[in-house]
Amino acid sequence: MSATKRVNIFSLSLVRGIVFQILGTLVGIGVVTLIRLLMGLPAWKAEPAGVFGAFLGVLFFLVGAGTIRDWYKMALGEPVSDHHAADPEQPGWAKYFNISYDHKVIGIQYGVTSVVVMLLAGSFALIFRAELARAGLQLIELDMFNTLVGLHGIVMIASILLGVGAMSNYLVPLLIGASDMAFPRLNAFAYWVNVPGALLVVSSLFLGGFDTGWTGYPPLSARAPLGMQMFFLGVYFIGLSSILGSLNLIVTVIRMRAPGMSYFRMPIFVWAAVATSIIGLTATQLIGLSFQMVMFQRLFGMGFFDPAKGGNVILFQHLFWFYSHPAVYVFILPGLGIISELLPVFVRKPLFGYKWIAMSSLGIALVGFFVWAHHMFTAGMEEYLRVPFMYSTLLVAVPTGVKFFSWVGTMWRGRMSFETPMLFTLGAVSIFLLGGLTGPPNATVATDLHLQDSYWIVGHFHATMFGGFVFPWFAAIYYWFPKFTGKMYNEKLGKLHFWLMFPAFYLMSLGQMRVGLLGMRRRIADYDPALGFDNTQTLVTIAGYVIAFSVLLFLFNLVRSIRSGEVAVANPWNSRSPEFQLPSPIPEHNYAEHPFVVVGEPYDYGLADAEYVRFGAASEPAAAD
Amino acid sequence: MTTNVTSEVRASYAYKTATNRLGLWLFLLSDSFVFGGLLVSRFYLLGNTRPHLDQTLGLIVTAMLLVSSFFMNRAETAIAHGDEKTFLRGTLITLVLGVAFLLGVVGVEWRLAPFGPADDVVGAVFYMMTGMHAFHVLTGVIFLGIVYRNGRKGLYSAEKHWQVEAAAVYWHFVDVVWIFFYPALYLIGTVAG
């Protein structure tokens, strides 16, 4: 980029949005205060003013950033264009801070936001893990500890949802041969609504925090400080993003596939993304509803969860977990899809049992709708619900087992090579196995009564998240990095990242499980040294810091490679997938100048003359299915 | 289904409309989970009891909403046949009935009800359900207003009237939700003491 290109910082959508958000918040606070004044009430009340201000702030952000400009024009019947070309007057990086309808730009926006948010959430964990390294209170107050634990949870969830958004937005149109998503405007909106939402969640830190953990159970959440409301409202908007993104993705896959690409010839990641989106589209509404009900209970005194008014707190848990359990499948299904996508490339063998893998993703998503109450075995819900939910939960192991069977079958007698993406893929398989095997004891009522709310659960959960999301996420970033940037990452640093993170993770997760079995409760700032696991706690903390260091190494690698890395070839992995047949980086309009038809099976690696995509005239008729 | 679609077909109004239609129906599926969640909450919290409400008023607003859907359907069919006059009249009648429904529920029923939202859980459930539904009716009314304005400017034709179709489908959806909410609030169970 040349030095002559200058950007007026207030022309960037991000900056304008944030300025508008501050403005909107002030207007909202003012309006509520004025109304209270006119009604003869005491003018200042922080809760309604703060909540309405925050709500208006988000709307102002969306207007200020320009996300709804086109819809406004459409409502007035004016013509709009589907493609915003990048402004040639601005340097290349500016488009990432502006509204763009290009799914690749939006995918990078999601991805970078995800990593930034992950660093934030990770540093929260580093603070409270330092506190937990030894018994007694050394560093932070109890309220701060609670807030940090809750924020670590919810901000990581936001980061994972953004990461899932990054993968499905960037990859799915490329994998199915589409020029873009079905609804580019909605796509941009779904990304941008995350920004004010995430700002609200983090603002809770400065508004008294919240001491409920990320689950926000009433009755505690009904009387926590104002930060609780910011948490609810922020998550509400992040959930809206999830719903709209899922809708867009399903429509894209159904309507935008390349000629000849029947459902069973799609790259396998697309199936995972669709299964994820089915959950995101429907179940997300229930967490929104449950949070909205607590917000209204606090604002208007509506007694949904107030036993004194005939309410019932268990209802919140039912509504909350109806989303929040399937949500973990939203987090892991794309990652499992990445594993299935990458393994055949580095093993040079066909994917074992393609249709079974595709169906197992849908199977996990479907069964996931019927397991939520396994989080409530000790909550005081109706006892007759326990056994049915135990069985439905154990049923999840069947489609998940199908996936493991297929991965082992794919690797069996393959010609493996061990580049960084492959290392992360294998690491993911191994860690997800740990996460999977530690699950059934929590699903079984008898053992769960003992394990509930212990650090064992923390260990189990982190194993599923690292195996199901974090490792595949890094694998995907390394694997498609040449397609994002046109540069190659540094292989040595990539491998170092893996060999630091992988053992450190095992140490952390197994350590968490050990202290849990020995009696450590989750979300508790202190423990009795007589329990005798001080040293394990210290090791867990050290492992956490090693993981953090390896992530910094990863960032250093990416930044350095973008600036001065080797120029990447078009297809460094010798992949059969269509996006690797395009130049690196991907041209702005994807396949517009390189139309292709699908003529064979996607994963026939190692078979002579097996063809998947054939480039040429777009109108050429496809082979019969 | 779409495996052999050329790029010319993809750029056509008909193909884009079919894509939009799928998106709209998925949105309604998603939205129905909100209302489903509210129904579940109602039965979980209130069981076999219901709020003490004005039956005559309930019947009147329900009738108005059902009749409005008839006129909306008439409007959509009319524009599909190029009959702008019937289309505009049908949209206007729907809009007026929608506003009347809102006034009936929020303006009258909320005042007549012998309980407030903060009194007990019966009130909480009643105001939450009717409030969420009224919010959807309000957005539908705004949508109808836009369609009416654009219709008067002659922006819709027999071939191109996706906005009319979308407004109509959304309106019917809001109507169908009320068909579940009305019995759940007004008819099922005994009046809560």
Side-chain angles (χ1 to χ4, degrees), chain B residues 94-100 102 135-147 170-171:
Chain B
T94 312
L95 209 158
V96 170
L97 286 171
V99 172
L102 276 179
F135 173 72
H136 281 75
V137 175
L138 179 66
T139 51
V141 164
I142 293 170
F143 207 171
L144 285 175
I146 293 168
V147 165
Y170 184 71
W171 192 258

Side-chain angles (χ1 to χ4, degrees), chain B residues 108-193:
Chain B
V108 183
E109 184 71 289
W110 280 21
R111 273 168 200 276
L112 288 184
F115 44 78
D119 286 353
D120 63 359
V121 73
V122 181
V125 168
F126 170 74
Y127 285 96
M128 186 78 191
M129 286 175 74
T130 50
M132 182 66 90
H133 182 261
F135 173 72
H136 281 75
V137 175
L138 179 66
T139 51
V141 164
I142 293 170
F143 207 171
L144 285 175
I146 293 168
V147 165
Y148 184 71
R149 171 196 174 275
N150 290 348
R152 281 183 46 117
K153 291 184 125 194
L155 294 180
Y156 304 124
S157 64
E159 295 79 32
K160 296 191 177 186
H161 56 273
W162 160 244
Q163 289 184 349
V164 183
E165 184 191 329
V169 171
Y170 184 71
W171 192 258
H172 295 320
F173 170 73
V174 173
D175 200 355
V176 168
V177 168
W178 187 252
I179 289 174
F180 286 92
F181 272 26
Y182 172 64
L185 288 171
Y186 285 82
L187 304 179
I188 293 174
T190 51
V191 174

